[in-house]
Amino acid sequence: MSSWHRSRRFRLLLFCLSPLIFFPAAAAQTGVTVTAGQFNFSSRDVPILRQVTLILRPAQGPSLQAQLHPVWNASGRDAAGSYRLVRYGLSEKGTPAGLAGSNLELRRYRRMRILVAVLNYRGPALHARASLRVTFAFAGFGRGLAIHRESLWWTAPVFATQPLELPPNNQMLLWRQRRGAGYARLGYHLLAPLAGDGLMGELGARHYRFRISFSSHAPGWQPHRVPLFAFGSGPDPYLLARRLYTAAFAAAQFYGRLRWQKSFPAAYRGLGWCSWNAYEKHVTANKVLASVAALVEKHVRPGFVLVDDGWLDQHNGALESFAAYRHRFPDGLAGLAQALHGQYHIPWVGVWHAFPGYWRGVDPASPIGRAFPLFAGKDGLYAPDPRGGAGESFYAAWYRRLSADGINFLKVDDQASAPLFAAGLYPIFAFGLGEERNLQTAARQYFASPADSGKLPGLNLLNCMDMSLENVYNWRDSNLARNSDDYVPGSDADSNRHIFDNAYNAFWMSNFAWPDWDMLQTTADDVERQAIARAISGGPIYDSDPAGKAQAKILRALELANGTALRPDQPGEVAPAMLLRDPELEAVPLKVFAPVRRPGLRAEMLAVFHVNPTRPRVRGSLSAGDAPDLESGMSGEDALAVYQRSIHSAVLLAPGTRLPLRLDALGADLFTLVPLRQGLAVFGLLNKYIGPAAVQGVEWQSGRAYIRLAQAGDFGAWLIRPPLAVAINGHPLASAAYQYQAHLLTIPKASFPETGKPCVVSLSMQPPL
């Protein structure tokens, strides 16, 4: 564990004492001024970033500090909207280096308050490391959250009250300024490093300066167009992130697309089962079938089954063929898939593989190594060739065989391994782009997922070990991604860390794909809080228990009878009040919200977790402000009905009031928040974690509410007065068939005539007092 990673536990709680700086009135109009060849960024006359300097490091000779001067400006429009474009010529300070023709391009998207910087470079070849550096000073930095790349594959949150507290190699920085004289309440600021033309940016402090540093990891690389960074400000941090990456992707013309532009993959919409935690690399066909049979016997219906690592024919970590181990899968993958599809009616059967083939790539002496173009990497490693689409044939042949065997979705692991193969030989971002292009082009032929309404088609594919820019900026069609390091059942420390990392990582990752919080294991001691975490995540939900060990009650609470997982409509995000606070250090609960919207129903799920490793209990409160999507649609007179899962009770929060929270160590709870309308707030099915997701719609006719449900269950709603009558599918219920206590109406599952089928609950309402 690095010293920076360890320091996450010991962050200072001090405020930055940067001096207040004021810029000319011109900044109010443009947001950008150039003084002595350096940039200054401001918003509404308030300085934000100052002394922004571009430094170039040629492969030969000393580093150069570029001097900037305006040379051209115009207006334009791209996929993100209209922008004002200004180009600044580059001249050298002190040493001539032949930068004639180079320029820095700034696109300012005025409606979104986003600025994107791109370098058009016409200079000499650059050094492999720190080829370009953009250095910054902050005006009035108050507190920030960075998403730190703590290893080659994974990220984790880091907090700071001074920019220089941050480690190197961060993927983005969200911060607020200190409140004080001269500073308006501008809300949040967001800065993200970009990448392109072989170079990849990282953001952080080094040598007493805050900077974005760009490296190709390829000696003598000469780029031409390098997207540098995107920066923006706004009062809503979630909308700010969405706008920033929308503008960045449009200006940089990345190969990838953003999460909301692509469809959620059909294969992962059900509750699934995965072999990894259950059997790790000792998976066999018999173990898979036994596990599925045990789930079906307990009336849990898997929507998908994923055979993780352990099935592939490999030697010393290098792939030797596309076939499965015969001694573990005697009938091959085809035999297993036939049994799962036919005998157990599992619609989706998938397999795992590593991005470069296997962990150490492809064996060049094997039949597949000789048949397809390979990239000869460092340390004797070989991977499908990412250059010019040459390696697409490798994936296409593999996927053709898998598809013929009845395999219809994938998990692709080890995606951020490009430096292990290409460092020193080929630009890392170009290597990752080529790999992603090859894989996704081949996968579109065999594992395409149909388009949701208003979105582009996706892929039935889960990305994993993937939290690096050469991956996330190039996911054109794939739309699921692991959001943290592995979940390790049985460890209290890992239980806290896993939820903490996933919650904050989602602020970044959810821009590119639906975050996957990893598999669930119901035999773990912390199963309830982990189930709540998977439910609120919005991503795929899949169990990994050995045969016969699964707690069916937990799994059934996550799905409908047809196997569909009950998920919120958007990824779970850290609540606004917690975004820049550190619940690992403070004695406060971590809060994660996610919306559920149905015709006639606006609900918000709010999960709370104790993640502080040193405090026996934490305290806080809940309010409408913890659910910003919900709060934005409420008037100042609206009350909020809140159902608390742990104690099966509901309360009504008047405007401006708060519900106290208390959690013991390793504790968690789940709340359903619904604004009161005409004296009614529908919670949905109380025996499900995401109960409102089982509601298909709510309609009103002549003082009667009609609630359409996807299936029968323990129904719940808050009513200001007892109902005059209750009916299911038009048939009245006797008063003994439901309960009304403390404003909470509950109809038990036993009172429904049929289970597993859609039904309609109708409530005749008394007029409000």
Side-chain angles (χ1 to χ4, degrees):
M1 183 181 293
S2 70
S3 59
W4 276 114
H5 185 50
R6 289 194 298 269
S7 70
R8 294 169 57 204
R9 317 300 183 196
F10 303 102
R11 300 175 197 110
L12 299 175
L13 296 176
L14 301 174
F15 282 98
C16 176
L17 298 178
S18 299
L20 303 181
I21 306 268
F22 294 91
F23 295 123
Q29 300 174 0
T30 65
V32 180
T33 59
V34 177
T35 304
Q38 297 176 324
F39 279 108
N40 302 295
F41 296 154
S42 63
S43 180
R44 298 178 182 174
D45 291 328
V46 177
I48 302 169
L49 298 174
R50 54 191 177 88
Q51 300 173 0
V52 182
T53 304
L54 176 63
I55 300 172
L56 299 92
R57 187 184 183 193
Q60 303 294 328
S63 296
L64 308 168
Q65 179 176 321
Q67 297 290 290
L68 308 173
H69 52 276
V71 295
W72 186 77
N73 68 85
S75 295
R77 187 175 183 84
D78 59 21
S82 60
Y83 58 82
R84 185 70 176 173
L85 176 66
V86 182
R87 284 186 176 151
Y88 295 84
L90 272 61
S91 57
E92 305 81 32
K93 182 179 180 180
T95 305
L99 295 180
S102 299
N103 63 75
L104 184 65
E105 173 185 307
L106 294 184
R107 293 192 190 195
R108 184 170 182 267
Y109 296 82
R110 287 169 286 190
R111 184 182 64 83
M112 297 194 296
R113 295 172 62 189
I114 302 295
L115 186 140
V116 180
V118 177
L119 175 65
N120 297 301
Y121 183 67
R122 300 296 182 270
L126 297 175
H127 201 278
R129 299 295 301 271
S131 315
L132 307 170
R133 299 191 300 278
V134 183
T135 65
F136 300 86
F138 290 82
F141 188 97
R143 185 164 178 81
L145 160 70
I147 301 301
H148 171 55
R149 192 177 179 189
E150 63 177 359
S151 72
L152 197 61
W153 302 278
W154 307 117
T155 67
V158 175
F159 299 88
T161 52
Q162 297 188 57
L164 295 183
E165 293 175 2
L166 292 171
N169 207 353
N170 301 290
Q171 312 286 47
M172 55 133 273
L173 174 65
L174 177 76
W175 78 97
R176 299 193 77 160
Q177 291 176 290
R178 288 183 291 109
R179 291 192 175 99
Y183 285 91
R185 293 174 179 264
L186 294 175
Y188 296 85
H189 309 295
L190 185 61
L191 179 64
L194 301 180
D197 205 357
L199 274 71
M200 193 157 59
E202 63 174 68
L203 179 154
R206 188 172 287 178
H207 303 310
Y208 305 102
R209 288 286 287 170
F210 191 84
R211 69 183 194 178
I212 301 177
S213 180
F214 294 82
S215 301
S216 67
H217 299 272
W221 182 252
Q222 188 173 17
H224 296 288
R225 180 175 171 82
V226 184
L228 297 178
F229 64 86
F231 164 74
S233 303
D236 181 338
Y238 315 100
L239 180 61
L240 172 60
R242 179 168 176 151
R243 286 178 169 176
L244 181 139
Y245 284 109
T246 296
F249 271 51
Q253 299 178 346
F254 289 133
Y255 177 68
R257 297 190 180 106
L258 296 161
R259 174 186 58 82
W260 49 85
Q261 299 170 331
K262 303 171 286 189
S263 302
F264 191 97
Y268 287 90
R269 292 179 182 175
L271 177 72
W273 181 85
C274 175
S275 66
W276 179 249
N277 274 7
Y279 306 116
E280 296 188 344
K281 290 188 178 182
H282 306 292
V283 64
T284 67
N286 287 339
K287 289 177 180 178
V288 173
L289 293 173
S291 298
V292 172
L295 290 174
V296 172
E297 186 177 344
K298 293 181 178 183
H299 305 289
V300 175
R301 180 180 174 183
F304 67 86
V305 169
L306 174 61
V307 181
D308 211 288
D309 190 6
W311 70 273
L312 273 168
D313 183 8
Q314 57 86 24
H315 180 67
N316 290 334
L319 190 68
E320 295 203 314
S321 80
F322 297 147
Y325 277 131
R326 276 292 171 181
H327 65 284
R328 297 182 184 177
F329 297 83
D331 297 321
L333 289 179
L336 175 62
Q338 183 178 8
L340 291 171
H341 287 310
Q343 183 177 351
Y344 295 104
H345 308 291
I346 307 298
W348 299 97
V349 178
V351 293
W352 170 102
H353 78 77
F355 205 20
Y358 202 65
W359 296 108
R360 292 180 57 81
V362 180
D363 182 351
S366 68
I368 59 170
R370 296 192 299 270
F372 300 101
L374 300 180
F375 177 89
K378 54 186 288 193
D379 301 324
L381 301 181
Y382 288 78
D385 196 338
R387 296 167 297 187
E392 181 192 333
S393 60
F394 175 90
Y395 296 108
W398 197 355
Y399 295 168
R400 186 183 309 115
R401 173 169 180 159
L402 290 175
S403 180
D405 284 345
I407 301 301
N408 51 10
F409 77 95
L410 299 170
K411 173 183 175 182
V412 181
D413 212 341
D414 197 28
Q415 291 204 14
S417 61
L420 300 180
F421 288 81
L425 301 174
Y426 195 70
I428 298 301
F429 191 80
F431 189 95
L433 167 60
E435 282 189 308
E436 293 287 359
R437 190 188 297 270
N438 286 340
L439 181 138
Q440 294 188 67
T441 301
R444 275 197 298 270
Q445 301 178 57
Y446 302 101
F447 304 118
S449 182
D452 294 329
S453 176
K455 297 184 179 180
L456 295 165
L459 290 178
N460 288 313
L461 186 152
L462 169 63
N463 304 292
C464 189
M465 298 179 71
D466 49 21
M467 304 181 81
S468 187
L469 300 190
E470 77 270 20
N471 306 126
V472 303
Y473 287 171
N474 292 313
W475 288 331
R476 186 169 186 82
D477 302 304
S478 60
N479 204 22
L480 287 181
R482 271 283 297 282
N483 190 50
S484 77
D485 203 344
D486 293 4
Y487 165 56
V488 181
S491 165
D492 291 353
D494 182 81
S495 179
N496 285 325
R497 178 205 61 82
H498 188 80
I499 292 172
F500 174 80
D501 285 357
N502 269 292
Y504 285 96
N505 280 340
F507 181 78
W508 177 66
M509 182 60 78
S510 64
N511 292 285
F512 317 111
W514 286 85
D516 167 30
W517 288 32
D518 202 10
M519 60 200 76
L520 177 68
Q521 192 161 340
T522 68
T523 55
D525 292 338
D526 65 339
V527 60
E528 178 67 15
R529 76 197 302 248
Q530 293 294 338
I532 290 173
R534 301 310 181 280
I536 199 73
S537 75
I541 304 174
Y542 48 110
D543 176 50
S544 186
D545 284 301
K549 300 295 185 180
Q551 293 191 51
K553 182 179 179 181
I554 295 288
L555 298 178
R556 286 198 295 266
L558 292 163
E559 69 169 349
L560 294 173
N562 63 7
T564 301
L566 291 169
R567 302 167 36 252
D569 297 340
Q570 296 293 331
E573 295 259 29
V574 175
M578 296 303 303
L579 257 181
L580 300 185
R581 297 183 69 177
D582 186 350
E584 279 196 324
L585 288 182
E586 299 183 60
V588 293
L590 169 62
K591 295 184 280 189
V592 180
F593 74 95
V596 177
R597 301 290 183 264
R598 297 292 184 270
L601 174 66
R602 298 179 71 246
E604 203 87 22
M605 305 303 302
L606 185 73
V608 295
F609 304 95
H610 183 311
V611 295
N612 188 307
T614 64
R615 298 295 185 96
R617 65 187 55 86
V618 297
R619 299 177 186 271
S621 62
L622 176 156
S623 73
D626 295 319
D629 289 346
L630 198 64
E631 187 184 36
S632 64
M634 298 171 61
S635 71
E637 303 298 321
D638 290 337
L640 190 67
V642 180
Y643 174 76
Q644 186 173 357
R645 179 179 174 84
S646 63
I647 59 175
H648 304 290
S649 70
V651 298
L652 192 68
L653 288 184
T657 60
R658 307 183 74 86
L659 179 67
L661 299 175
R662 170 178 164 165
L663 293 173
D664 292 331
L666 297 178
D669 211 337
L670 185 62
F671 298 84
T672 305
L673 288 65
V674 183
L676 196 64
R677 296 289 184 268
Q678 302 185 47
L680 172 69
V682 174
F683 298 131
L685 297 186
L686 305 183
N687 59 323
K688 306 295 183 181
Y689 287 101
I690 310 295
V695 177
Q696 296 177 329
V698 179
E699 298 177 6
W700 288 86
Q701 294 181 16
S702 304
R704 196 174 184 93
Y706 294 87
I707 301 107
R708 291 181 288 110
L709 300 174
Q711 68 175 50
D714 295 335
F715 173 80
W718 200 97
L719 277 70
I720 197 166
R721 300 181 68 189
L724 293 172
V726 178
I728 296 177
N729 295 337
H731 301 291
L733 287 184
S735 59
Y738 61 88
Q739 290 183 335
Y740 179 79
Q741 187 174 7
H743 298 284
L744 180 62
L745 171 72
T746 56
I747 307 173
K749 182 179 179 180
S751 296
F752 286 78
E754 293 182 285
T755 60
K757 294 184 179 180
C759 55
V760 177
V761 173
S762 57
L763 307 175
S764 293
M765 307 292 292
Q766 294 192 51
L769 293 174

